[in-house]
Amino acid sequence: MSALLRLTNVSKRYGALTVTDAISFEVGRGETYGILGPNGAGKTTLFNLVSGDAKPDEGTVEFDGADVGHLAPHRRCAVGIGRSYQVPRPFGGMTVFENLLVGARFGGELDERAACDVCVDVLERTGLKRRANQLAGTLALLDRKRLELARALATQPQLLLLDEIAGGLTQGETHELVDEIRRVKEHGVTIVWIEHVVHALLAVADRLLVINFGRKLAEGQPAAVMDDPEVRRVYLGLEA
């Protein structure tokens, strides 16, 4: 499996605080790669480094074989990196469909007709068709999460970054969202997913990375990672 995303010795500091410390990993095409870690471990900073919302102090970020470290966020989106954010922030005065059009036109750089076709398809895939003409600001939490996912998908990403998209949902709502993410995976989209809802991540992830204090703690098959004594101690608060 060829790597779509590769980070090599990536470090990010804010003053004296090192948030990510020489982290390296790669994600294969079509893979779902989960990232776990305690609060403050540096997970969202990793996403910011991939999406262009932050720049590394050292190391390289490669996407589809090219160094994208010099590209602005909108250019990374245009070449195929889409992301959601931990707190959904839709354009509340616009409809669900209009929110998707923004993603398709300005993120995916599609013309109007192509953008409309993509948006209709994404509405179907994410269960939002019935909400297409509803103002985004009136959506319940699950549908706001769906919209966050759908707006990222409207940019037609090769790589989708999901930042704690299951946070705040009930168990039943989480199962619904996991089913939708599985369908995204079946369409061949490569996914990197940060999540605190561990059972949701384990239901989809092919491999896991656990980080702590900005450093790699463990990486590998989900069952083996979750059985790692250091992971159980640091992340789960359990003694082996």
Side-chain angles (χ1 to χ4, degrees), residues 183-240:
R183 288 194 287 273
V184 172
K185 180 178 182 177
E186 289 167 1
H187 276 76
V189 178
T190 303
I191 300 170
V192 182
W193 184 3
I194 292 170
E195 190 54 71
H196 276 301
V197 184
V198 177
H199 67 84
L201 197 56
L202 294 179
V204 180
D206 299 304
R207 287 190 300 137
L208 289 181
L209 168 69
V210 181
I211 62 175
N212 191 37
F213 294 113
R215 292 188 175 186
K216 183 187 291 189
L217 186 65
E219 182 185 27
Q221 297 300 309
V225 168
M226 298 309 294
D227 283 339
D228 184 290
E230 192 65 8
V231 171
R232 291 169 64 83
R233 184 185 70 80
V234 169
Y235 186 71
L236 300 176
L238 302 173
E239 295 297 332

Side-chain angles (χ1 to χ4, degrees), residues 48-188:
N48 290 340
L49 294 169
V50 175
S51 66
D53 293 289
K55 292 184 178 181
D57 294 305
E58 284 102 27
T60 58
V61 178
E62 296 175 71
F63 174 72
D64 202 15
D67 187 339
V68 294
H70 63 288
L71 295 181
H74 70 281
R75 294 308 310 154
R76 297 193 202 194
C77 184
V79 299
I81 300 175
R83 74 169 290 180
S84 72
Y85 289 85
Q86 188 172 341
V87 179
R89 291 189 177 90
F91 300 109
M94 299 169 65
T95 67
V96 167
F97 188 76
E98 288 167 341
N99 268 265
L100 298 194
L101 274 178
V102 171
R105 290 295 307 275
F106 298 101
E109 298 187 343
L110 299 176
D111 63 39
E112 186 171 355
R113 182 168 183 173
C116 286
D117 290 342
V118 166
C119 292
V120 170
D121 176 61
V122 170
L123 286 170
E124 294 272 8
R125 289 162 56 192
T126 56
L128 282 172
K129 185 177 179 181
R130 70 194 188 285
R131 306 289 189 199
N133 296 315
Q134 184 172 338
L135 291 179
T138 67
L139 296 174
L141 180 59
L142 176 58
D143 284 332
R144 289 205 307 274
K145 298 278 189 174
R146 285 186 172 121
L147 178 54
E148 188 75 2
L149 171 64
R151 192 165 56 178
L153 290 174
T155 69
Q156 295 192 291
Q158 296 181 64
L159 173 66
L160 176 63
L161 309 175
L162 298 177
D163 192 351
E164 296 192 27
I165 196 165
L169 299 179
T170 66
Q171 185 169 346
E173 289 170 340
T174 299
H175 286 314
E176 288 186 49
L177 192 64
V178 165
D179 286 342
E180 287 159 17
I181 292 169
R182 282 198 182 104
R183 288 194 287 273
V184 172
K185 180 178 182 177
E186 289 167 1
H187 276 76

